[in-house]
Coordinates of all heavy atoms in Angstrom, one line a residue:
M16 N -98.0 95.9 -25.4 CA -99.2 95.4 -24.9 C -100.0 94.7 -26.0 O -100.6 93.7 -25.8 CB -100.1 96.6 -24.3 CG -101.4 96.2 -23.7 SD -101.0 95.3 -22.2 CE -102.6 95.1 -21.6
E17 N -100.0 95.2 -27.2 CA -100.7 94.6 -28.3 C -100.1 93.2 -28.6 O -100.8 92.3 -28.9 CB -100.6 95.5 -29.5 CG -101.4 94.9 -30.7 CD -101.3 95.8 -31.9 OE1 -100.9 97.0 -31.8 OE2 -101.7 95.4 -33.0
T18 N -98.8 93.1 -28.5 CA -98.1 91.8 -28.8 C -98.5 90.8 -27.8 O -98.8 89.6 -28.1 CB -96.6 92.0 -28.7 OG1 -96.2 93.0 -29.7 CG2 -95.9 90.7 -29.1
Y19 N -98.6 91.2 -26.5 CA -99.1 90.3 -25.5 C -100.5 89.8 -25.7 O -100.8 88.6 -25.6 CB -99.0 91.0 -24.1 CG -99.5 90.2 -23.0 CD1 -98.8 89.1 -22.5 CD2 -100.7 90.5 -22.4 CE1 -99.3 88.3 -21.5 CE2 -101.3 89.7 -21.4 CZ -100.5 88.6 -20.9 OH -101.0 87.8 -19.9
L20 N -101.4 90.7 -26.1 CA -102.7 90.3 -26.4 C -102.8 89.4 -27.6 O -103.6 88.4 -27.6 CB -103.6 91.6 -26.6 CG -103.8 92.4 -25.4 CD1 -104.6 93.7 -25.7 CD2 -104.6 91.7 -24.3
N21 N -102.0 89.6 -28.6 CA -102.0 88.7 -29.8 C -101.5 87.4 -29.4 O -102.1 86.3 -29.8 CB -101.1 89.3 -30.8 CG -101.7 90.4 -31.6 OD1 -102.9 90.6 -31.6 ND2 -100.9 91.3 -32.2
L22 N -100.5 87.3 -28.5 CA -100.0 86.0 -28.1 C -101.1 85.3 -27.2 O -101.2 84.0 -27.3 CB -98.7 86.1 -27.3 CG -97.5 86.5 -28.1 CD1 -96.3 86.8 -27.1 CD2 -97.1 85.5 -29.1
M23 N -101.8 86.0 -26.4 CA -102.8 85.4 -25.6 C -104.0 84.9 -26.5 O -104.5 83.8 -26.3 CB -103.4 86.4 -24.6 CG -102.4 86.8 -23.5 SD -101.8 85.4 -22.5 CE -103.3 85.1 -21.6
L24 N -104.3 85.6 -27.5 CA -105.3 85.2 -28.5 C -104.9 83.9 -29.2 O -105.7 83.0 -29.4 CB -105.7 86.3 -29.4 CG -106.8 86.1 -30.4 CD1 -108.1 85.8 -29.7 CD2 -106.9 87.2 -31.4
I25 N -103.7 83.9 -29.6 CA -103.1 82.7 -30.3 C -103.2 81.5 -29.4 O -103.6 80.4 -29.8 CB -101.7 83.0 -30.9 CG1 -101.8 84.0 -32.0 CG2 -101.0 81.7 -31.3 CD1 -100.4 84.5 -32.4
R26 N -102.8 81.7 -28.1 CA -102.8 80.6 -27.2 C -104.2 80.1 -26.9 O -104.4 78.9 -26.9 CB -102.2 81.1 -25.8 CG -102.0 80.0 -24.8 CD -101.5 80.4 -23.5 NE -102.6 81.0 -22.8 CZ -102.5 81.3 -21.5 NH1 -101.4 81.1 -20.8 NH2 -103.6 81.8 -20.9
F27 N -105.1 81.0 -26.8 CA -106.5 80.6 -26.6 C -107.0 79.8 -27.9 O -107.7 78.8 -27.7 CB -107.4 81.9 -26.4 CG -108.9 81.5 -26.4 CD1 -109.5 81.0 -25.3 CD2 -109.7 81.8 -27.5 CE1 -110.8 80.6 -25.3 CE2 -111.0 81.5 -27.5 CZ -111.6 80.9 -26.4
G28 N -106.7 80.3 -29.0 CA -107.1 79.6 -30.3 C -106.5 78.2 -30.3 O -107.2 77.2 -30.7
L29 N -105.2 78.0 -29.9 CA -104.6 76.7 -29.9 C -105.2 75.8 -28.9 O -105.5 74.6 -29.2 CB -103.1 76.8 -29.7 CG -102.3 77.4 -30.8 CD1 -100.8 77.6 -30.3 CD2 -102.3 76.6 -32.0
V30 N -105.5 76.3 -27.7 CA -106.2 75.5 -26.7 C -107.6 75.1 -27.2 O -108.0 73.9 -27.0 CB -106.2 76.2 -25.3 CG1 -107.1 75.5 -24.4 CG2 -104.8 76.3 -24.8
A31 N -108.3 76.0 -27.7 CA -109.7 75.7 -28.1 C -109.7 74.7 -29.3 O -110.5 73.8 -29.3 CB -110.4 77.0 -28.5
G32 N -108.7 74.9 -30.2 CA -108.6 74.0 -31.3 C -108.2 72.6 -30.9 O -108.7 71.6 -31.4
G33 N -107.3 72.5 -29.9 CA -107.0 71.2 -29.3 C -108.1 70.5 -28.7 O -108.3 69.3 -28.8
L34 N -108.9 71.3 -28.0 CA -110.1 70.7 -27.3 C -111.1 70.2 -28.4 O -111.7 69.1 -28.2 CB -110.8 71.7 -26.4 CG -110.0 72.0 -25.1 CD1 -110.7 73.1 -24.3 CD2 -109.8 70.7 -24.3
V35 N -111.3 70.9 -29.4 CA -112.2 70.5 -30.5 C -111.7 69.2 -31.1 O -112.5 68.3 -31.4 CB -112.4 71.6 -31.5 CG1 -113.1 71.1 -32.8 CG2 -113.2 72.8 -30.9
V36 N -110.4 69.1 -31.4 CA -109.8 67.9 -32.0 C -110.0 66.7 -31.1 O -110.3 65.6 -31.5 CB -108.4 68.2 -32.4 CG1 -107.7 66.9 -32.8 CG2 -108.3 69.2 -33.5
L37 N -109.7 67.0 -29.8 CA -109.9 65.9 -28.8 C -111.3 65.4 -28.7 O -111.6 64.2 -28.7 CB -109.4 66.4 -27.4 CG -109.4 65.3 -26.3 CD1 -108.4 64.2 -26.6 CD2 -109.1 66.0 -25.0
A38 N -112.3 66.3 -28.7 CA -113.7 65.9 -28.7 C -114.1 65.1 -30.0 O -114.8 64.2 -29.9 CB -114.6 67.2 -28.6
L39 N -113.6 65.6 -31.1 CA -113.9 64.8 -32.3 C -113.3 63.4 -32.3 O -113.9 62.5 -32.8 CB -113.4 65.6 -33.6 CG -114.2 66.9 -33.9 CD1 -113.4 67.6 -35.0 CD2 -115.6 66.5 -34.4
L40 N -112.1 63.3 -31.8 CA -111.4 62.0 -31.7 C -112.2 61.1 -30.7 O -112.4 59.9 -31.1 CB -110.0 62.2 -31.2 CG -109.2 61.0 -31.1 CD1 -108.9 60.4 -32.5 CD2 -107.8 61.3 -30.4
V41 N -112.6 61.6 -29.6 CA -113.4 60.8 -28.7 C -114.7 60.4 -29.3 O -115.2 59.2 -29.2 CB -113.7 61.5 -27.3 CG1 -114.7 60.9 -26.5 CG2 -112.4 61.7 -26.6
F42 N -115.4 61.3 -30.0 CA -116.6 61.0 -30.7 C -116.4 59.9 -31.8 O -117.2 59.0 -31.9 CB -117.2 62.2 -31.4 CG -118.5 62.0 -32.1 CD1 -119.7 61.8 -31.5 CD2 -118.5 62.0 -33.5 CE1 -120.8 61.5 -32.2 CE2 -119.6 61.8 -34.2 CZ -120.8 61.5 -33.6
A43 N -115.3 60.0 -32.5 CA -115.0 59.0 -33.6 C -114.8 57.6 -33.0 O -115.3 56.6 -33.5 CB -113.8 59.4 -34.4
V44 N -114.1 57.6 -31.9 CA -113.8 56.3 -31.2 C -115.1 55.7 -30.7 O -115.4 54.5 -30.8 CB -112.8 56.5 -30.1 CG1 -112.7 55.2 -29.2 CG2 -111.4 56.8 -30.7
A45 N -115.9 56.5 -30.1 CA -117.2 56.0 -29.5 C -118.1 55.5 -30.7 O -118.8 54.5 -30.5 CB -117.9 57.1 -28.7
L46 N -118.1 56.2 -31.8 CA -118.9 55.8 -32.9 C -118.4 54.5 -33.5 O -119.2 53.6 -33.8 CB -118.9 56.9 -34.0 CG -119.9 56.7 -35.1 CD1 -121.3 56.8 -34.6 CD2 -119.7 57.9 -36.1
A47 N -117.1 54.3 -33.6 CA -116.6 53.1 -34.1 C -116.9 51.9 -33.2 O -117.2 50.8 -33.6 CB -115.1 53.2 -34.3
L48 N -116.8 52.2 -31.9 CA -117.1 51.1 -30.9 C -118.6 50.7 -31.0 O -118.9 49.6 -30.9 CB -116.7 51.6 -29.5 CG -115.2 51.5 -29.2 CD1 -115.0 52.2 -27.8 CD2 -114.7 50.1 -29.2
K49 N -119.4 51.7 -31.1 CA -120.9 51.5 -31.2 C -121.2 50.6 -32.4 O -122.0 49.7 -32.4 CB -121.6 52.8 -31.2 CG -123.1 52.5 -31.2 CD -123.9 53.8 -31.1 CE -125.4 53.6 -31.0 NZ -126.1 54.8 -30.9
R50 N -120.6 50.9 -33.5 CA -120.8 50.2 -34.8 C -120.4 48.7 -34.7 O -120.9 47.8 -35.3 CB -120.2 50.9 -36.0 CG -120.9 52.1 -36.4 CD -120.3 52.7 -37.6 NE -121.0 53.9 -38.0 CZ -120.6 54.7 -39.0 NH1 -119.5 54.4 -39.7 NH2 -121.3 55.8 -39.3
R51 N -119.3 48.5 -34.0 CA -118.7 47.2 -33.8 C -119.3 46.4 -32.6 O -119.0 45.3 -32.4 CB -117.2 47.2 -33.7 CG -116.5 47.7 -34.9 CD -115.1 47.7 -34.7 NE -114.4 48.3 -35.9 CZ -113.2 48.6 -36.0 NH1 -112.4 48.5 -35.0 NH2 -112.7 49.1 -37.1
G52 N -120.2 47.1 -31.8 CA -120.8 46.4 -30.7 C -120.0 46.4 -29.5 O -120.3 45.6 -28.5
G53 N -118.9 47.1 -29.4 CA -118.0 47.1 -28.2 C -118.3 48.2 -27.2 O -117.6 48.2 -26.2
L54 N -119.3 49.0 -27.5 CA -119.5 50.2 -26.6 C -120.0 49.7 -25.2 O -119.6 50.3 -24.2 CB -120.5 51.2 -27.2 CG -120.6 52.5 -26.5 CD1 -119.3 53.2 -26.5 CD2 -121.6 53.4 -27.3
D55 N -120.8 48.7 -25.2 CA -121.3 48.2 -23.9 C -120.2 47.6 -23.0 O -120.2 47.8 -21.8 CB -122.4 47.1 -24.1 CG -123.7 47.7 -24.7 OD1 -123.9 48.9 -24.4 OD2 -124.4 47.0 -25.4
E56 N -119.3 46.9 -23.7 CA -118.1 46.4 -22.9 C -117.2 47.5 -22.4 O -116.8 47.4 -21.2 CB -117.3 45.5 -23.9 CG -116.2 44.7 -23.2 CD -115.5 43.8 -24.1 OE1 -116.0 43.5 -25.2 OE2 -114.4 43.4 -23.7
V57 N -117.0 48.5 -23.2 CA -116.2 49.7 -22.7 C -116.9 50.3 -21.5 O -116.3 50.7 -20.5 CB -116.0 50.6 -23.8 CG1 -115.3 51.9 -23.3 CG2 -115.1 50.0 -24.9
R58 N -118.2 50.5 -21.6 CA -119.0 51.1 -20.5 C -118.8 50.3 -19.2 O -118.7 50.8 -18.1 CB -120.5 51.2 -20.9 CG -120.8 52.4 -21.8 CD -122.3 52.4 -22.0 NE -122.6 53.5 -23.0 CZ -123.7 53.5 -23.6 NH1 -124.6 52.6 -23.4 NH2 -123.9 54.5 -24.5
R59 N -118.9 49.0 -19.4 CA -118.8 48.1 -18.2 C -117.4 48.3 -17.5 O -117.3 48.3 -16.3 CB -118.9 46.6 -18.7 CG -119.7 45.8 -17.7 CD -120.0 44.4 -18.1 NE -120.1 44.3 -19.6 CZ -119.5 43.4 -20.3 NH1 -118.7 42.5 -19.8 NH2 -119.7 43.3 -21.6
Y60 N -116.4 48.4 -18.3 CA -115.0 48.6 -17.7 C -114.8 50.1 -17.2 O -114.1 50.3 -16.2 CB -113.9 48.3 -18.8 CG -113.8 46.9 -19.0 CD1 -114.0 46.3 -20.3 CD2 -113.4 46.0 -18.0 CE1 -113.8 45.0 -20.6 CE2 -113.2 44.6 -18.3 CZ -113.4 44.1 -19.5 OH -113.3 42.8 -19.8
A61 N -115.4 51.0 -17.9 CA -115.2 52.4 -17.5 C -116.0 52.9 -16.3 O -115.6 53.8 -15.6 CB -115.5 53.3 -18.7
A62 N -117.2 52.3 -16.1 CA -118.1 52.7 -15.0 C -117.4 52.7 -13.6 O -117.5 53.7 -12.9 CB -119.3 51.9 -15.0
P63 N -116.7 51.7 -13.2 CA -116.0 51.7 -11.9 C -114.9 52.8 -11.8 O -114.7 53.4 -10.8 CB -115.4 50.3 -11.7 CG -116.1 49.5 -12.7 CD -116.6 50.3 -13.8
V64 N -114.2 53.0 -12.9 CA -113.2 54.0 -13.0 C -113.7 55.4 -12.8 O -113.2 56.2 -12.0 CB -112.4 53.9 -14.3 CG1 -111.3 55.0 -14.4 CG2 -111.7 52.6 -14.4
V65 N -114.9 55.7 -13.5 CA -115.5 57.0 -13.3 C -116.0 57.2 -11.9 O -115.9 58.3 -11.4 CB -116.7 57.1 -14.4 CG1 -117.5 58.3 -14.1 CG2 -116.1 57.1 -15.8
R66 N -116.6 56.1 -11.3 CA -117.1 56.2 -10.0 C -116.0 56.6 -9.0 O -116.2 57.5 -8.1 CB -117.8 54.9 -9.5 CG -119.3 55.0 -9.6 CD -120.0 53.8 -9.0 NE -120.5 53.0 -10.2 CZ -120.2 51.8 -10.5 NH1 -119.3 51.1 -9.8 NH2 -120.7 51.2 -11.5
V67 N -114.9 55.9 -9.1 CA -113.7 56.2 -8.2 C -113.2 57.6 -8.4 O -112.9 58.3 -7.5 CB -112.6 55.1 -8.5 CG1 -111.3 55.6 -7.8 CG2 -113.1 53.8 -8.0
G68 N -113.2 58.0 -9.7 CA -112.7 59.4 -10.0 C -113.6 60.4 -9.4 O -113.2 61.5 -8.8
L69 N -115.0 60.2 -9.5 CA -115.9 61.2 -8.9 C -115.8 61.2 -7.4 O -115.9 62.3 -6.8 CB -117.3 60.8 -9.4 CG -117.6 61.1 -10.8 CD1 -119.0 60.6 -11.2 CD2 -117.5 62.6 -11.1
R70 N -115.7 60.0 -6.8 CA -115.5 60.0 -5.3 C -114.3 60.8 -4.9 O -114.3 61.5 -3.9 CB -115.5 58.6 -4.8 CG -116.8 57.9 -4.8 CD -116.7 56.5 -4.2 NE -118.0 55.8 -4.4 CZ -118.0 54.5 -4.7 NH1 -116.9 53.8 -4.8 NH2 -119.2 54.0 -4.9
A71 N -113.2 60.6 -5.6 CA -111.9 61.3 -5.3 C -112.1 62.8 -5.4 O -111.6 63.5 -4.6 CB -110.8 60.8 -6.1
A72 N -112.8 63.2 -6.5 CA -113.0 64.6 -6.7 C -113.9 65.2 -5.6 O -113.6 66.3 -5.1 CB -113.6 64.9 -8.0
A73 N -114.9 64.4 -5.2 CA -115.8 64.9 -4.1 C -115.0 65.0 -2.8 O -115.2 66.0 -2.0 CB -116.9 64.0 -3.9
R74 N -114.1 64.1 -2.5 CA -113.3 64.1 -1.3 C -112.4 65.3 -1.3 O -112.2 66.0 -0.3 CB -112.5 62.9 -1.1 CG -113.3 61.8 -0.4 CD -112.4 60.6 0.0 NE -113.0 59.4 -0.6 CZ -112.4 58.7 -1.5 NH1 -111.2 58.9 -1.9 NH2 -113.0 57.6 -2.0
R75 N -111.8 65.6 -2.5 CA -110.9 66.7 -2.6 C -111.6 68.0 -2.4 O -111.1 68.9 -1.7 CB -110.3 66.7 -4.0 CG -109.2 67.7 -4.1 CD -108.5 67.7 -5.5 NE -108.0 66.3 -5.7 CZ -107.9 65.8 -6.9 NH1 -108.2 66.5 -8.0 NH2 -107.4 64.6 -7.1
L76 N -112.8 68.2 -2.9 CA -113.6 69.4 -2.7 C -114.0 69.5 -1.2 O -114.0 70.6 -0.7 CB -114.9 69.4 -3.6 CG -114.6 69.6 -5.0 CD1 -115.9 69.5 -5.8 CD2 -114.0 71.0 -5.3
E77 N -114.4 68.4 -0.6 CA -114.7 68.5 0.9 C -113.5 68.9 1.7 O -113.6 69.6 2.7 CB -115.2 67.2 1.3 CG -116.6 66.9 0.9 CD -117.2 65.5 1.4 OE1 -116.4 64.9 2.2 OE2 -118.3 65.1 1.0
G78 N -112.3 68.5 1.3 CA -111.1 68.8 2.1 C -110.7 70.2 2.0 O -109.9 70.7 2.8
R79 N -111.2 70.9 1.0 CA -110.8 72.3 0.8 C -111.5 73.3 1.8 O -111.3 74.5 1.8 CB -111.1 72.8 -0.6 CG -110.2 72.2 -1.6 CD -110.4 72.8 -2.9 NE -109.5 72.3 -3.9 CZ -109.5 72.5 -5.2 NH1 -110.5 73.2 -5.7 NH2 -108.7 71.9 -6.0
G80 N -112.4 72.7 2.6 CA -113.1 73.6 3.6 C -114.2 74.3 2.9 O -114.5 75.5 3.2
N81 N -114.9 73.7 2.0 CA -116.1 74.3 1.4 C -117.2 74.5 2.4 O -117.8 73.5 2.9 CB -116.6 73.4 0.2 CG -117.6 74.0 -0.6 OD1 -118.1 75.1 -0.3 ND2 -118.0 73.4 -1.7
G82 N -117.4 75.7 2.8 CA -118.4 76.0 3.9 C -119.8 75.6 3.6 O -120.5 75.1 4.4
A83 N -120.2 75.7 2.3 CA -121.6 75.4 1.9 C -121.8 73.9 2.1 O -122.8 73.4 2.6 CB -121.9 75.8 0.5
A84 N -120.9 73.1 1.6 CA -121.0 71.6 1.7 C -121.0 71.2 3.2 O -121.8 70.3 3.6 CB -119.9 70.9 1.0
R85 N -120.1 71.8 4.0 CA -120.1 71.4 5.4 C -121.4 71.8 6.1 O -121.9 71.0 6.9 CB -118.9 72.2 6.1 CG -118.7 71.7 7.5 CD -117.5 72.4 8.2 NE -116.3 72.2 7.4 CZ -115.5 73.2 7.0 NH1 -115.9 74.5 7.2 NH2 -114.4 73.0 6.3
S86 N -121.9 72.9 5.8 CA -123.2 73.4 6.4 C -124.3 72.5 6.0 O -125.1 72.1 6.9 CB -123.5 74.8 5.9 OG -124.7 75.2 6.4
R87 N -124.4 72.0 4.8 CA -125.4 71.1 4.4 C -125.3 69.7 5.1 O -126.3 69.1 5.5 CB -125.4 70.8 2.9 CG -126.2 71.8 2.1 CD -126.2 71.5 0.6 NE -125.4 72.5 0.0 CZ -124.4 72.2 -0.8 NH1 -124.1 71.0 -1.1 NH2 -123.6 73.1 -1.4
R88 N -124.0 69.3 5.3 CA -123.8 68.0 5.9 C -124.3 68.1 7.4 O -124.8 67.1 7.9 CB -122.3 67.6 5.9 CG -121.9 66.8 4.8 CD -120.6 66.2 5.1 NE -119.7 67.1 5.7 CZ -118.7 67.8 5.1 NH1 -118.5 67.5 3.8 NH2 -117.9 68.6 5.7
E89 N -124.1 69.2 8.0 CA -124.4 69.4 9.4 C -125.9 69.7 9.6 O -126.3 69.9 10.8 CB -123.5 70.4 10.1 CG -122.1 70.0 10.1 CD -121.1 71.1 10.4 OE1 -121.6 72.2 10.6 OE2 -119.9 70.8 10.5
G90 N -126.6 69.9 8.6 CA -128.0 70.2 8.7 C -128.3 71.7 8.8 O -129.5 72.1 8.9
G91 N -127.3 72.5 8.6 CA -127.6 74.0 8.7 C -127.8 74.5 7.3 O -128.0 73.8 6.3
R92 N -128.0 75.8 7.2 CA -128.3 76.4 5.9 C -127.2 77.3 5.5 O -126.5 77.9 5.5 CB -129.6 77.3 6.0 CG -130.8 76.4 6.2 CD -132.0 77.2 6.0 NE -133.1 76.3 6.2 CZ -134.0 76.1 5.3 NH1 -134.0 76.7 4.2 NH2 -135.0 75.3 5.5

């Protein structure tokens, strides 16, 4: 049991470390783009992609039979 918990802790550490590295990388790219003046152009290209992704996620959540969302749409509580 102790070995399993150690492996789970190591896995959690690796995942958390990977997320931190990814966040730092995204921050560095955004900072470099801002300094060079390209951030506005990236935002212009990324905005439609983000909108489409959010719409797809909303449709997916509605399709799961979320009772609260259905109730709100129908005017119920």
Side-chain angles (χ1 to χ4, degrees):
M16 184 70 173
E17 183 180 347
T18 304
Y19 175 74
L20 291 175
N21 284 336
L22 289 174
M23 294 298 289
L24 184 61
I25 291 170
R26 187 181 80 166
F27 174 75
L29 289 174
V30 169
L34 289 175
V35 167
V36 168
L37 183 64
L39 288 172
L40 183 65
V41 168
F42 179 73
V44 168
L46 190 62
L48 285 172
K49 185 176 182 181
R50 287 185 179 173
R51 294 183 184 165
L54 191 58
D55 291 331
E56 187 176 343
V57 170
R58 282 184 185 161
R59 217 174 330 130
Y60 286 119
V64 174
V65 170
R66 260 188 250 120
V67 168
L69 289 174
R70 284 185 191 142
R74 274 191 235 116
R75 187 177 304 151
L76 286 176
E77 284 182 5
R79 288 187 179 173
N81 188 351
R85 187 180 304 126
S86 177
R87 271 186 255 127
R88 265 196 320 257
E89 296 169 356
R92 291 188 180 241

